[in-house]
């Protein structure tokens, strides 16, 4: 992709109706790049009613008569304006909000779109299950990976589109609403409260989130990076035990991966059980079942924290490279074990390799296909590929590579080719055969 600046890319050479990404052919849009989302949301918990005003600032990349945003059909659009002109023409079908400006906008021109909408948000059905906005017993959550952001706001729903965000969320007073970024404003009025969050670092749409529940928010004692916990009051004791080592985990990961890429980190524990934790920028969300008082989910705590580097700061430009998120986060689990008195990474690698040998050898790690991109074999095989690289180039070079990787592409989109190219500078021997074996071949290499 042609790089326009840190954290921003243009999708190259796509015809108006050509898919941006074959893994998600119905999501992502051409002709512009978004630099800013300003979302003003009002949510009624008990009726699951969301009212929103989205102000989107973008720059056109070519001349088009119309532009599209991703927005689920559960959201009904009432008004659209473009560059201050009210009542712009629009259609909303098949999850696409297509907008026709009164005049064509030249390439490189400003595209300021305002969309007013409302509806009862619901998850989007996908081949990976339901994704997006979902109701809880008390409150709601957002789990948007990979294509659920459009369930609650109009967007360019593709990871290559990273932008800054301002999210204002008004909800019923008994509930606490948290979104990505720094809390920059709050107001209580009658039976409602409003909180405003500013996310300045570029963020992919699938990482944008709003979490609402009967939460207590508090600062967690720790190290250099401020940490916050949000959870129902009754889960405090279990949280304090299960997440006690998270500040030390942060210190270890900063040493291995480089400086934490954001200003702070929050963990939300929902009152409901969740099948898996949820990744979001500057935040991770766990279910009550992940807070069991026995540290039974500590590897997942490490996994989600590692995503702040690998997935949030460094985000894949195309979904085929998903191993750069999940393989790295899985390897971080092993590194935490190695650095906290548990089995070392090599022990975990041998165990994972034995497990993969019992499963079908039909995945190409570097391009697994959409059906397989969240298969557990991607996680384990990705971690094994990194361990093989570490064994080949040695610890000093390997961790120097990881720190260079996170620094060079901080807050940007990345690709497998960029990682393998960078790795070549940290090895005194060719790595081509290693990458072919682990990323291109289906057969599982020897450990």
């Amino acid at each position: 992709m042609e790089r326009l600046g840190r954290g921003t890319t243009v999708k190259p050479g796509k015809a108006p109706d050509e898919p941006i990404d074959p893994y998600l052919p119905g999501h992502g849009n051409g002709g512009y790049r978004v630099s800013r989302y300003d979302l003003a949301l009002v949510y009624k918990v008990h009726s699951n009613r969301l009212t929103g005003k989205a102000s989107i600032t973008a720059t056109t990349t070519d001349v088009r008569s119309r532009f599209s945003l991703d927005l689920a059909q559960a959201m009904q659009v009432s008004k659209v304006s473009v560059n201050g002109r009210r009542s712009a023409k629009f259609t909303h079908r098949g999850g696409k909000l297509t907008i026709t400006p009164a005049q064509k906008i030249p390439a490189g021109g400003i595209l300021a779109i305002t969309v007013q909408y409302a509806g009862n948000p619901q998850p989007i059905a996908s081949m990976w299950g339901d994704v997006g906005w979902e109701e809880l017993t008390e409150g709601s959550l957002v789990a948007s990976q990979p294509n659920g952001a459009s369930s609650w706001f109009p967007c360019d729903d593709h990871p290559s589109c990273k932008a800054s965000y301002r999210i204002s969320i008004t909800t019923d007073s008994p509930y606490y609403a948290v979104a990505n970024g720094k809390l920059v404003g709050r107001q209580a009025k009658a039976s409602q409260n409003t909180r405003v969050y500013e996310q300045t670092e570029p963020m992919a749409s699938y990482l944008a989130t709003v979490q609402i529940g009967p939460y207590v928010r508090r600062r967690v004692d720790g190290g250099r990076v401020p940490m916050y916990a949000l959870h129902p009051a009754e889960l405090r004791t279990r949280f304090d035990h299960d997440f006690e080592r998270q500040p030390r985990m942060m210190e270890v990961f900063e040493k291995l991966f480089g400086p934490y890429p954001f200003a702070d980190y929050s963990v939300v524990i929902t009152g409901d059980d969740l099948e898996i934790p949820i990744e979001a920028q500057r935040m991770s969300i766990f279910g009550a079942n992940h807070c069991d008082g026995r540290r039974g989910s500590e590897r997942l705590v490490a996994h989600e924290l590692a995503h702040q580097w690998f997935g949030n700061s460094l985000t894949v430009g195309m979904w085929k490279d998903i191993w750069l998120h999940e393989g790295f986060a899985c390897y971080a689990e092993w590194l935490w074990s190695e650095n906290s008195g548990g089995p070392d990474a090599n022990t975990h690698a041998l165990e994972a390799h034995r497990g993969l040998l019992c499963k079908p050898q039909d995945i190409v790690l570097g391009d697994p296909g959409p059906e397989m991109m969240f298969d557990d074999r991607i996680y384990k095989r990705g971690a094994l590929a990194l361990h093989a690289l570490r064994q080949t180039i040695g610890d000093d070079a390997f961790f120097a590579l990881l720190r260079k990787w996170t620094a060079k592409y901080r807050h940007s989109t990345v690709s497998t080719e960029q990682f393998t190219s960078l790795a070549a500078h940290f090895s005194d021997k060719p790595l081509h055969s290693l990458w072919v074996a682990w990323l291109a071949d289906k057969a599982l290499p020897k450990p």
Side-chain angles (χ1 to χ4, degrees):
M1 293 187 178
E2 177 190 357
R3 190 162 297 282
L4 295 184
R6 190 171 75 172
T8 308
T9 56
V10 167
K11 308 173 186 77
K14 297 291 184 181
D17 298 320
E18 184 180 350
I20 297 299
D21 190 329
Y23 278 42
L24 287 174
H27 289 256
N29 304 279
Y32 64 90
R33 57 180 176 89
V34 177
S35 59
R36 174 78 167 175
Y37 291 93
D38 193 329
L39 307 177
L41 309 173
V42 178
Y43 182 65
K44 297 289 188 180
V45 173
H46 296 294
S47 60
N48 185 39
R49 183 70 177 178
L50 179 67
T51 302
K53 179 181 178 182
S55 300
I56 302 166
T57 305
T59 303
T60 59
T61 58
D62 53 51
V63 180
R64 297 191 179 191
S65 60
R66 62 185 185 275
F67 299 88
S68 294
L69 293 163
D70 299 303
L71 183 64
Q73 293 303 131
M75 297 290 101
Q76 292 85 47
V77 177
S78 58
K79 187 180 297 184
V80 175
S81 67
V82 177
N83 293 351
R85 293 177 178 265
R86 297 182 178 180
S87 302
K89 295 180 179 179
F90 66 89
T91 61
H92 186 202
R93 291 191 294 268
K96 288 288 185 183
L97 175 62
T98 302
I99 301 166
T100 304
Q103 297 177 335
K104 288 186 177 180
I105 300 170
I110 295 298
L111 186 64
I113 302 172
T114 300
V115 181
Q116 297 185 37
Y117 62 100
N120 300 104
Q122 59 189 35
I124 295 173
S126 76
M127 68 176 70
W128 311 280
D130 291 344
V131 295
W133 191 289
E134 186 173 346
E135 291 183 84
L136 294 170
T137 302
E138 285 193 87
S140 63
L141 61 75
V142 170
S144 290
Q145 191 180 30
N147 63 332
S150 59
S151 69
W152 61 285
F153 72 101
C155 58
D156 187 10
D157 200 3
H158 189 265
S160 63
C161 179
K162 301 183 75 169
S164 66
Y165 282 72
R166 184 180 181 89
I167 302 175
S168 169
I169 175 71
T170 299
T171 193
D172 307 308
S173 290
Y175 298 98
Y176 196 107
V178 60
N180 312 85
K182 180 181 179 180
L183 179 63
V184 295
R186 54 186 167 187
Q187 181 180 7
K189 186 176 181 181
S191 60
Q192 292 183 321
N193 61 73
T194 300
R195 289 180 172 86
V196 183
Y197 297 88
E198 185 73 39
Q199 172 61 54
T200 56
E201 298 90 354
M203 177 169 68
S205 55
Y206 86 89
L207 295 168
T209 196
V210 172
Q211 305 290 327
I212 300 171
Y215 301 137
V216 175
R217 181 180 185 265
R218 59 194 177 92
R219 176 82 178 260
V220 177
D221 292 337
R224 187 189 68 82
V225 178
M227 292 186 175
Y228 298 91
L230 294 97
H231 54 71
E234 63 270 19
L235 292 179
R236 176 168 184 156
T237 300
R238 280 190 278 168
F239 178 92
D240 287 345
H241 178 267
D242 289 2
F243 288 78
E244 180 183 12
R245 301 207 296 177
Q246 189 172 249
R248 171 59 182 156
M249 194 181 290
M250 178 71 81
E251 292 176 4
V252 169
F253 286 175
E254 285 203 301
K255 177 182 176 182
L256 300 179
F257 307 149
Y260 178 71
F262 305 106
D264 55 37
Y265 182 61
S266 295
V267 168
V268 177
I269 310 292
T270 68
D272 292 13
D273 290 352
L274 300 181
E275 183 179 356
I276 57 175
I278 299 167
E279 172 191 356
Q281 192 153 305
R282 290 173 69 155
M283 189 189 315
S284 297
I285 301 92
F286 296 82
N289 52 311
H290 299 125
C291 198
D292 58 11
R294 301 188 301 273
R295 291 185 184 151
S297 297
E298 192 171 74
R299 72 169 187 85
L300 298 177
V301 176
H303 186 105
E304 298 307 323
L305 177 57
H307 271 315
Q308 300 303 314
W309 286 266
F310 310 111
N312 296 191
S313 178
L314 280 65
T315 308
V316 296
M318 298 290 281
W319 282 114
K320 71 181 181 65
D321 294 320
I322 187 65
W323 82 277
L324 293 174
H325 294 184
E326 302 302 348
F328 279 67
C330 182
Y331 197 60
E333 298 175 29
W334 304 353
L335 292 173
W336 168 243
S337 174
E338 181 174 277
N339 285 272
S340 62
D344 62 15
N346 195 60
T347 300
H348 284 286
L350 291 173
E351 180 182 358
H353 194 275
R354 285 193 296 269
L356 288 178
L357 283 174
C358 301
K359 297 180 179 180
Q361 308 296 306
D362 59 358
I363 279 185
V364 175
L365 181 62
D367 192 359
E371 297 86 358
M372 296 291 188
M373 71 172 175
F374 296 117
D375 191 289
D376 185 63
R377 289 171 291 173
I378 297 298
Y379 295 54
K380 297 296 193 298
R381 185 161 175 156
L384 285 169
L386 291 172
H387 191 65
L389 176 62
R390 179 183 175 185
Q391 290 182 313
T392 300
I393 66 177
D395 278 14
D396 290 346
F398 177 75
F399 290 110
L401 165 62
L402 294 192
R403 291 188 290 271
K404 181 67 174 180
W405 176 238
T406 61
K408 183 175 182 178
Y409 295 104
R410 184 180 174 92
H411 304 313
S412 297
T413 55
V414 292
S415 69
T416 295
E417 291 74 18
Q418 288 170 323
F419 181 69
T420 57
S421 176
L422 185 64
H425 296 285
F426 290 82
S427 177
D428 58 4
K429 63 185 72 173
L431 297 174
H432 177 73
S433 59
L434 182 149
W435 297 128
V436 169
W438 284 103
L439 299 179
D441 291 345
K442 291 183 179 180
L444 184 67
K446 293 181 180 179

